[in-house]
Amino acid sequence: MALRAATATAVAPRGLRALLSTFSSSFPFNSPSKQVEKPPPAEPSTNLFVSGLSKRTTSEGLRDAFVKHGEVVHARVVTDRVSGYSKGFGFVRYATLEDAEAGIKGMDGQFLDGWVIFAEYARPRPPPPSMQDNNTTPGYGNYNSSSYGSQ
């Protein structure tokens, strides 16, 4: 019986040690050593991007929360087309830059409908790629490129 206990304790650490030694620094789930740079902060504008919204937050609820800090011109929660529920973010447009700044200071990191929300200046939407660019770049579904059909 003592031999069995000694064998079991000797084998288990060896097996565990062997298993753990296979995970080296090249383990695919290690965090990347290179730091990802954050984009520069958005330029101040009257339009705010609000993230962290609850699925039950409505545009009216968003407006009511932000109107305490200035004159809200427009408030919109982006919703899913099928379910109608919030996608978790929205936009609030203030009348002035001062009101927008007050809205960020007053609502960033606060609770709304039981969730912590984050408010920041909205970034402008990047322009959509032009059709001219799409026709000259070889890729999937681009039958106008010179590489289509040539082998």
Side-chain angles (χ1 to χ4, degrees):
M1 188 63 136
L3 184 59
R4 249 190 209 168
T7 306
T9 57
V11 172
R14 188 179 312 147
L16 184 59
R17 193 175 307 125
L19 177 66
L20 292 177
S21 68
T22 60
F23 299 124
S24 65
S25 62
S26 64
F27 186 64
F29 298 112
N30 286 345
S31 61
S33 59
K34 189 171 89 172
Q35 292 290 345
V36 177
E37 291 183 27
K38 290 184 178 181
E43 293 182 23
S45 71
T46 57
N47 198 21
L48 304 184
F49 173 74
V50 183
S51 60
L53 297 176
S54 165
K55 298 284 184 199
R56 299 188 187 277
T57 301
T58 62
S59 295
E60 293 80 25
L62 186 64
R63 172 187 280 277
D64 292 343
F66 277 83
V67 78
K68 299 170 189 169
H69 304 284
E71 182 185 345
V72 174
V73 175
H74 183 73
R76 177 175 175 252
V77 172
V78 178
T79 56
D80 182 71
R81 291 179 189 166
V82 177
S83 69
Y85 285 115
S86 164
K87 284 192 166 187
F89 66 94
F91 296 92
V92 176
R93 182 175 299 277
Y94 278 101
T96 64
L97 283 173
E98 292 79 20
D99 288 345
E101 184 179 352
I104 289 176
K105 286 181 180 176
M107 292 302 295
D108 189 35
Q110 299 300 312
F111 281 91
L112 179 63
D113 294 334
W115 289 56
V116 176
I117 63 168
F118 302 96
E120 60 183 299
Y121 293 114
R123 299 179 194 283
R125 181 182 280 182
S130 67
M131 289 302 292
Q132 180 97 14
D133 293 340
N134 287 343
N135 289 338
T136 60
T137 306
Y140 294 104
N142 187 1
Y143 304 116
N144 297 328
S145 70
S146 60
S147 63
Y148 177 70
S150 61
Q151 291 182 353

